[in-house]
Amino acid sequence: MNNQELYKTAVEFVQKAHAGQKRKGNGEPYFNHVKRVSDAISEFSPIAKIAALLHDTVEDCGIEVVDIHDAFGEDIAAVVFLLTRQKDETYYEFIHRLTDNHDALLVKQADLKDNTSDLSEGSLKDKYRFALDVVEAAIEEHLESHE
């Protein structure tokens, strides 16, 4: 499958996985969130764009990383795994774990920006801002190391 076909397959997969789910803050269909995250990084890697669609399926839909691997391949599954907080992991550990993978960083940056866009001030928004600072510093470090 080429990247365009893989993306279309991911859209269908995610629409089914998130069917009936709503965003906590505004009640919109959850698919809108993952689509915005994917669209925000569409000029970057096709792996990141597809992983962005799939990034919440493991935590929120009962999908297993092996299912992502079987449907979309190892590279996309690896990014989705990095974007999935493990049960024994603090949020801080989770954010730092993904800083070695540029695609995961791009997805998480777009995810955090979208998540904070409709939050009022408070501890959750502060937590996301902190995570965004860590992610953006890691992206800058990646860019500097590839110059």
Side-chain angles (χ1 to χ4, degrees):
M1 237 185 298
N2 67 36
N3 288 333
Q4 190 172 20
E5 292 168 336
L6 208 54
Y7 181 81
K8 287 180 183 178
T9 301
V11 167
E12 293 170 5
F13 183 95
V14 170
Q15 285 176 324
K16 287 178 189 170
H18 288 294
Q21 292 180 345
K22 304 284 185 195
R23 293 272 288 172
K24 292 175 190 164
N26 60 15
E28 75 175 350
Y30 200 85
F31 175 78
N32 295 359
H33 163 67
V34 296
K35 181 74 167 78
R36 280 192 306 270
V37 172
S38 181
D39 289 348
I41 59 172
S42 63
E43 68 210 49
F44 298 104
S45 140
I47 290 170
K49 183 178 177 179
I50 294 165
L53 286 172
L54 299 162
H55 80 272
D56 281 333
T57 56
V58 175
E59 283 185 33
D60 296 345
C61 304
I63 305 293
E64 300 287 334
V65 174
V66 69
D67 299 324
I68 303 292
H69 180 277
D70 291 348
F72 302 99
E74 185 173 340
D75 293 339
I76 292 168
V79 174
V80 171
F81 173 77
L82 287 171
L83 293 163
T84 303
R85 185 173 165 192
Q86 304 304 302
K87 288 181 172 75
D88 60 343
E89 209 170 32
T90 67
Y91 190 73
Y92 181 80
E93 290 168 334
F94 160 61
I95 292 299
H96 280 278
R97 180 171 53 83
L98 59 84
T99 59
D100 290 332
N101 183 290
H102 193 69
D103 287 329
L105 286 169
L106 292 172
V107 174
K108 194 62 187 170
Q109 179 187 40
D111 180 41
L112 288 165
K113 285 182 176 183
D114 191 68
N115 284 340
T116 57
S117 69
D118 61 356
L119 281 179
S120 56
E121 293 301 318
S123 60
L124 186 57
K125 192 162 189 165
D126 290 343
K127 178 173 107 170
Y128 287 160
R129 279 189 188 132
F130 169 77
L132 189 56
D133 288 346
V134 171
V135 166
E136 288 179 340
I139 289 172
E140 192 171 313
E141 195 175 299
H142 275 253
L143 293 175
E144 289 172 1
S145 70
H146 289 92
E147 287 181 349

